[in-house]
């Protein structure tokens, strides 16, 4: 009898399975009502007195071995089922799907880091603005025709409150509460009531810069822009084309020489090789006065660009709407610049 218990112990110890139903038959064979263990317990009374102690010991060993086996294989089979049908416990885990930076954030961060290297600090302000900060202080009094350049969303109940049309409003706020030298960069979301097309969108993003100090000249502006275009596009040939903004005098449009290599269908530079990338100029003395800065003592320059436009050029995206559709197949293609 004892020998028989020992034989079963060996069998139990050697038992292996990856199959739940096989494990179940094993359980029934040993721990079931009419199973091996129960049969041994029943025959316990027939064991000679002097063997009872030893038999009991062996039987207990067998009982424990059976329950250990069932417990450990059950755990293992569950894991195998979760891991997959091939049951390879050493297969690498599934990589969780992680997010990526939005291309507009990548470009904004690059612009910020380029200007922060030459001392520009960040500044921000509200998206819902008043007329003074968005227009009047910027040399755009009421009924000024240039207000039409930026189709404004007004907050219906109050014509004085609007969605900012540019981040120049942030510069006004900053000048009002700080004195020169001022060197700030204001990235942010802006709003214009424009017809949405492949090139324009009602909500877009700008980065504007402002530098005010003693003896700031147009040369400083051009030098800064050259440094910037070289750092961002790897191209430093620019031209400043005379233009008009109410808040700067003189004003210019900045064109970068893009070249004609990418000009297969004349769509990018219309065959000229030049591309407009931003507006700029020397801060109009009226703006300085409106913000409490003495134009006799200080001068400054300002520039502003649309982040979408820069991103379209950098990544050769032809439709601005791609940035707002949140199509993961599009968004996942962009990696932060190192
Ligand atoms: N605020 C102008 C715009 O939104 C851009 C600009 C900024 C132009 C600073 C000149 C100087 O179009």
């Amino acid at each position: 009898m004892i020998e028989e218990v020992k034989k079963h112990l060996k069998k139990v110890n050697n038992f292996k399975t990856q199959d739940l139903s096989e494990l179940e038959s094993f359980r029934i064979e040993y721990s079931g009502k009419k199973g091996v263990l129960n049969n041994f317990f029943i025959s316990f009374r027939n064991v000679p007195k002097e063997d009872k102690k030893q038999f009991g010991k062996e039987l207990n060993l067998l009982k424990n071995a059976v329950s250990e086996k069932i417990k450990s294989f059950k755990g293992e089979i569950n894991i195998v089922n979760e891991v997959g049908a091939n049951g390879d416990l050493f297969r690498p885990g599934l990589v969780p799907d992680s997010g990526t930076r939005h291309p507009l954030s990548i470009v904004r961060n690059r612009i910020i880091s380029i200007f922060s290297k030459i001392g520009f600090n960040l500044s921000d302000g509200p998206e819902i603005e008043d007329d003074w900060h968005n227009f009047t202080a910027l040399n755009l009094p009421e009924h000024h025709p240039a207000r039409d350049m930026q189709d404004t969303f007004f907050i219906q109940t109050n014509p004085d409150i609007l969605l900012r049309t540019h981040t120049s409003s942030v510069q006004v706020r900053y000048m009002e509460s700080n004195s020169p030298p001022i060197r700030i960069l204001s990235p942010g979301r802006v709003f214009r009531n424009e017809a949405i097309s492949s090139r324009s969108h009602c909500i877009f993003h700008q980065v504007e810069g402002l530098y005010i100090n003693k003896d700031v000249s147009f040369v400083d502006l051009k030098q800064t822009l050259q440094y910037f275009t070289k750092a961002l596009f790897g191209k430093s040939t620019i031209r400043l084309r005379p233009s008009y903004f109410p808040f700067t005098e003189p004003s210019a449009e900045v064109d970068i020489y893009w070249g004609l290599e990418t000009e297969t269908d004349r769509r990018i530079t219309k065959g000229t090789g030049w591309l407009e990338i931003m507006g700029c100029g020397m801060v109009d003395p009226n703006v300085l006065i409106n913000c409490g800065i003495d134009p006799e003592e200080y001068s400054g320059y300002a520039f502003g660009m649309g982040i979408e436009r820069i991103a379209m050029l950098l990544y050769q995206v032809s439709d601005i709407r791609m940035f707002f559709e949140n199509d993961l197949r599009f968004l996942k293609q962009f990696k932060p610049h190192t």
Side-chain angles (χ1 to χ4, degrees), residues 150 166 168 192 206 208 245 247-248 279-280 302-304:
Q150 306 184 344
H166 49 187
S168 305
R192 291 185 197 178
Q206 277 191 331
E208 296 206 3
F245 296 106
F247 26 87
T248 46
C280 68
F303 55 86

Side-chain angles (χ1 to χ4, degrees), residues 240-256:
L240 295 164
R241 190 163 33 81
S243 182
Y244 173 74
F245 296 106
F247 26 87
T248 46
E249 181 60 36
S251 304
E253 220 69 73
V254 182
D255 293 345
I256 179 173

